[in-house]
Amino acid sequence: MARIHKIDPETAPEEVKKAIEEHVAKGYRVTNEKLTLLHSVPCFQAIEVGSYAVDEELASIVGKRAADIYEYAISAANDCIVCTTYFKKLLTSEGIDINNFAFTKDEELLVEFARALANDPRHVPAELKDRMQARYSDREFVVITSMGIMMLANNYFNDIMEVEPEKM
C-alpha cells in the first residue's frame, strides 16, 4: 500500500489539473508516481517534466532504444519495482525481450554505466568513466549522467513513498 494517497484528478486544485492537462497533451500517461508527485506541482515539474526533457535529449544522442535500455538498467540495478515494471512494459512494447536480447556495444557500455551509477554513484570506476568519455563528448556524457541521476531520483521517490507499480 502506498505511503500517501494519490491526487484525485477530479477534485484536484486547478494548478494540478492544468499540470495534468499539459502532460497528457504531450502524449504522456498519468501514472501512480505522477499522481503522487502532484501533491506539489513544482516537485512534479522538477522530477517528471524535467526527466522527460533530459530523456528527449538523451534519445537524440544514443537513440530511443538505447535510452530506454539505459533507464531500465538503472531501475533494475536500483531494485525500483515501479520503474522496472514501467520500462519492462515499454521495452516489451518495442519488441525487446530484455532477458533474451543482443545489445549493441554502445548499449553494453550504457548498461555497465547504469549499473555502476545505481550501485554506488560516488564510486563509479575511473576506468569506466574513461571509456564513457572516449565514446561520448563532454556534453553527451553530461546528458547521460544527468538522465541517470533523474532515474535515481524517480526510483528513490517511488521506493520512499511506496508507490504502487502499474499493472503489467
Side-chain angles (χ1 to χ4, degrees):
M1 185 167 176
R3 172 71 41 196
I4 61 173
H5 70 279
K6 299 179 288 190
I7 289 293
D8 179 352
E10 299 293 321
T11 60
E14 287 305 312
E15 177 187 33
V16 172
K17 288 179 180 179
K18 182 179 178 196
I20 292 171
E21 183 180 301
E22 289 171 357
H23 196 65
V24 170
K26 291 178 182 175
Y28 303 127
R29 293 181 30 232
V30 180
T31 63
N32 291 340
E33 174 187 9
K34 295 169 188 176
L35 291 172
T36 305
L37 270 166
L38 279 161
H39 280 279
S40 167
V41 172
C43 292
F44 171 77
Q45 290 171 337
I47 294 176
E48 281 300 316
V49 177
S51 69
Y52 278 95
V54 176
D55 179 60
E56 287 175 19
E57 191 167 358
L58 175 64
S60 74
I61 294 166
V62 301
K64 180 171 176 14
R65 182 177 94 165
D68 291 344
I69 289 168
Y70 175 66
E71 293 163 28
Y72 170 82
I74 291 169
S75 299
N78 199 242
D79 291 327
C80 177
I81 189 73
V82 172
C83 290
T84 301
T85 300
Y86 171 82
F87 280 104
K88 190 168 190 176
K89 183 177 182 179
L90 179 65
L91 291 167
T92 299
S93 75
E94 295 172 1
I96 298 170
D97 176 0
I98 202 70
N99 298 316
N100 188 20
F101 183 74
F103 297 106
T104 66
K105 291 287 183 199
D106 285 345
E107 290 166 346
E108 287 175 359
L109 180 60
L110 288 169
V111 167
E112 185 179 352
F113 187 66
R115 289 176 178 153
L117 279 177
N119 290 328
D120 188 356
R122 290 189 180 123
H123 298 101
V124 173
E127 177 273 329
L128 177 54
K129 288 189 261 188
D130 291 344
R131 284 190 286 131
M132 290 292 292
Q133 289 182 284
R135 171 60 185 93
Y136 298 102
S137 71
D138 289 348
R139 179 187 159 280
E140 292 169 337
F141 192 33
V142 165
V143 172
I144 292 164
T145 302
S146 295
M147 190 64 231
I149 291 165
M150 297 299 289
M151 283 308 308
L152 291 172
N154 276 283
N155 292 342
Y156 292 141
F157 180 84
N158 286 319
D159 290 343
I160 292 165
M161 293 296 164
E162 301 171 24
V163 173
E164 294 179 19
E166 304 295 315
K167 304 279 189 241
M168 285 287 285

